[in-house]
């Protein structure tokens, strides 16, 4: 019996594959490599000293997805595969609805056909949209503000409806906050396609000389230093959260949305200062205008994860910044180099 990891070649997928293999699971990775490199999976194999099959398949091809379920004895699915750039989703909504929704539908049809009941889905804190109250609780009403976030909220609803019709299924909707950092070896990390949008990859690529500016988007938010506050979580903590979610699926039926965050917020300025301090680097950054669509503050309530999954994030912001820089220094051009 194996766990099917869709999008397993991506940033969170590779780190989770390491945690799953270390926990003794057999895995099958399905990815079309539209946003990742096959080389990332070579690193997973090298780090864990374990082998696993890789299926180069687009989830949007229903027949190909069915064939994977026919070929392997799949016990459960962790579904990372999807497009994730919020800004791009505003420009190309059809690509996002098509890829994320169709891909998930094909996966669910195959699971239904082959009687696979355990499902862990990569949702996102983006489903909350802008809320007045912090921390963000799982039962708050959802209010996504871009097509990417809409796909996540829609898939959550599809999964709730699917569970209602199939009460023996076990589904966990993991709402990630801001995943950052890298495997502590420095051999696995985030390797974004093209110029990065997210804060940590922008800091590391600026520090290594791949991009020529670093800007804080806005200094007039209602926060202590005026920059936005986010709940940054180490990608290995997140990976371990998936192993716990899978264990939960194996012993419960139902559908549960669960935040994966640290419960602590840090401002953009604090992140840059921490990165400079722990890595003993001096970076000259600018202050620019606000970026459209950014909520001033976002951080998780972590009680449900702690109660249901017996999981909590362990790694500090110092560690996130150290590991992110180790990865970038060892791999200045990412996997392909
Ligand atoms: P990523 O882009 O690194 O990985 C996604 C993987 O899915 C890639 O390897 C890509 O090639 C693959 N993929 C995309 N469409 C596919 C398709 N149709 N068929 C097969 N493979 C396909 O992203 P990530 O950061 O690892 O994110 C993983 C999941 O977590 C995504 O669903 C994302 O929306 C969600 N998420 C990410 C963040 C974040 O900040 N990284 C935050 C919240 C939620
Ligand atoms: N920021 C800067 N400068 C940069 C990049 C980002 O100041 O060069 C700021 C942003 O304005 C924001 C904070 O850093 O205040 C974090 O921005 P990111 O782009 O790293 O992350 P977001 O919080 O915007 O979004 C991320 C993922 C989403 C996911 C969300 C979940 O990109 O896909 O976390 O909370 F849904």
């Amino acid at each position: 019996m194996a766990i099917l990891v869709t999008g397993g070649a991506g940033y969170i997928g590779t780190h989770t594959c390491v945690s799953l293999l270390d926990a003794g699971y057999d895995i099958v990775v399905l990815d079309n490599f539209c946003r990742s490199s096959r080389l990332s999976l070579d690193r997973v194999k090298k780090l864990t000293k374990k082998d696993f099959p890789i299926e180069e398949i687009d989830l949007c091809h229903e027949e190909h997805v069915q064939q994977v379920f026919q070929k392997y004895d799949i016990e459960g699915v962790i579904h990372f595969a999807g497009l994730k750039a919020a800004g791009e989703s505003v420009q190309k909504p059809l690509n996002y609805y098509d890829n994320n929704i169709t891909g998930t539908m094909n996966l669910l049809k195959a699971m239904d056909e082959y009687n696979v009941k355990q499902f862990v889905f990569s949702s996102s804190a983006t489903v909350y949209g802008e809320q007045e109250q912090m921390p963000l609780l799982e039962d708050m009403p959802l209010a996504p503000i871009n097509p990417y976030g809409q796909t996540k909220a829609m898939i959550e609803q599809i999964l709730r409806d699917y569970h209602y019709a199939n009460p023996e299924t076990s589904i966990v909707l993991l709402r990630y906050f801001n995943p950052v950092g890298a495997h502590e070896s420095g051999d696995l990390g985030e390797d974004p396609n093209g110029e990065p949008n997210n804060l940590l990859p922008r800091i590391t690529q600026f520090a290594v000389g791949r991009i020529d500016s670093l800007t804080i988007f806005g200094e007039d938010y209602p926060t202590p230093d005026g920059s936005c506050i986010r709940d940054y979580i180490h990608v290995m903590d997140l990976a371990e959260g998936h192993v716990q979610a899978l264990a939960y699926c194996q012993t419960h039926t139902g559908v549960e949305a669960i935040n994966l965050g640290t419960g602590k917020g840090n401002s953009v300025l604090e992140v840059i200062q921490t990165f400079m301090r722990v890595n003993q680097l001096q970076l000259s950054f600018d202050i620019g205008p606000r970026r459209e669509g950014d909520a001033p503050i976002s951080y998780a309530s972590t009680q449900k994860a702690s109660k249901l999954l017996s999981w909590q994030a362990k790694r500090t912001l110092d560690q996130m910044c150290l590991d992110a820089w180790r990865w970038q220094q060892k791999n200045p051009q990412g996997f392909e180099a």
Side-chain angles (χ1 to χ4, degrees), residues 7 9-13 30-36 57-60 80-84 99 122-124 148 152 176-177 179:
Y11 172 45
I12 306 170
L30 180 161
D31 206 298
N32 66 355
F33 303 104
C34 69
R35 297 288 160 110
S36 55
I57 277 172
D58 187 337
L59 277 181
C60 293
F80 294 106
L83 300 177
K84 65 164 184 179
N99 191 72
S122 295
S123 188
S124 167
Y148 164 65
K152 294 293 180 192
Y176 314 150
F177 280 68

Side-chain angles (χ1 to χ4, degrees), residues 165-221:
N166 300 275
E168 72 288 359
T169 54
S170 179
I171 298 172
V172 176
L173 316 168
L174 293 177
R175 295 181 181 158
Y176 314 150
F177 280 68
N178 288 57
V180 297
H183 189 269
E184 61 183 13
S185 62
D187 292 332
L188 210 54
E190 188 167 10
D191 184 15
N193 245 27
E195 190 164 322
N197 297 308
N198 297 121
L199 180 61
L200 246 295
R202 284 203 71 84
I203 296 175
T204 59
Q205 291 204 10
F206 179 62
V208 86
R210 264 177 81 174
I211 56 172
D212 52 17
S213 66
L214 177 64
T215 304
I216 295 184
F217 299 140
E219 57 168 350
D220 57 351
Y221 285 99

Side-chain angles (χ1 to χ4, degrees), residues 11 15 180-186 188-190 234-236 319-320 323-327:
Y11 172 45
H15 291 81
V180 297
H183 189 269
E184 61 183 13
S185 62
L188 210 54
E190 188 167 10
H234 196 292
V235 68
M236 286 310 298
Q319 237 169 320
M320 301 178 211
D323 291 341
W325 182 229
R326 187 179 304 111
W327 150 254

Side-chain angles (χ1 to χ4, degrees), residues 1-18:
M1 298 286 262
I3 302 301
L4 179 68
V5 185
T6 79
Y11 172 45
I12 306 170
T14 44
H15 291 81
T16 303
C17 286
V18 169

Side-chain angles (χ1 to χ4, degrees), residues 265-279:
N266 286 103
S267 72
V268 178
L269 190 61
E270 279 172 337
V271 174
I272 296 176
Q273 282 169 342
T274 304
F275 184 86
M276 294 195 298
R277 174 176 54 76
V278 299
N279 294 309

